[in-house]
Amino acid sequence: MASLSDFILNQVKSAASGNDLDNNVLGGLSDSILNSLKQKATSANGISEITELLSGKSSASSSPVTQLASKIFTSDVATKLGLSPSIANAASSLLPVIIEKVVGAVSSKGGDFDLASILSALGGSSSSSKLGNLGKIIGGLGKLFGKK
């Protein structure tokens, strides 16, 4: 099974195909999404926001997770890469599309990642971790309701 960061990077590359972005920018978009998920996972209401996004209950374009990823990309990553503001904004405009692809891959039920495994990856494997326990609970509910 691929790591969460590899999974997100693959979704970035898929969503950005046809755009003339180099690997540093694609990696920056991927890192922005992963860091957004990590920051949200430890913030108030963050787990709820991640769950609503990955389960399709909120759209990627209006999700606080996407908004944070965009902020991280334009303020941190683009600066480190030396991107002009116009290129940074153009690249960050792909984030809702990329995150929709991540949501689609998570909800497809056939991929390497589902909601429980993403929450578990964000919270680590410790059984005392709140996120790890939440991931196990969601995984059990998924099995109960037919997600395999």
Side-chain angles (χ1 to χ4, degrees), residues 76-101:
D76 297 340
V77 177
T79 302
K80 288 177 186 171
L81 294 174
L83 300 177
S84 70
S86 62
I87 292 176
N89 288 333
S92 71
S93 71
L94 290 172
L95 285 166
V97 174
I98 294 165
I99 292 175
E100 282 295 335
K101 286 195 71 69

Side-chain angles (χ1 to χ4, degrees), residues 58-111:
S58 70
S59 73
S61 60
S62 63
S63 170
V65 175
T66 306
Q67 293 167 3
L68 179 58
S70 181
K71 180 181 175 193
I72 290 169
F73 183 81
T74 55
S75 65
D76 297 340
V77 177
T79 302
K80 288 177 186 171
L81 294 174
L83 300 177
S84 70
S86 62
I87 292 176
N89 288 333
S92 71
S93 71
L94 290 172
L95 285 166
V97 174
I98 294 165
I99 292 175
E100 282 295 335
K101 286 195 71 69
V102 169
V103 170
V106 167
S107 65
S108 72
K109 297 184 183 183

Side-chain angles (χ1 to χ4, degrees), residues 36-59 62-66 103 115 118-119 122 130-131 134-135 138:
S36 173
L37 288 168
K38 287 179 180 178
Q39 287 182 32
K40 283 294 180 182
T42 59
S43 69
N45 299 320
I47 295 297
S48 169
E49 292 169 349
I50 293 170
T51 303
E52 287 177 9
L53 173 64
L54 295 178
S55 65
K57 292 181 181 172
S58 70
S59 73
S62 63
S63 170
V65 175
T66 306
V103 170
L115 181 58
I118 288 177
L119 291 175
L122 292 172
K130 288 181 185 178
L131 292 175
L134 181 60
I138 291 172

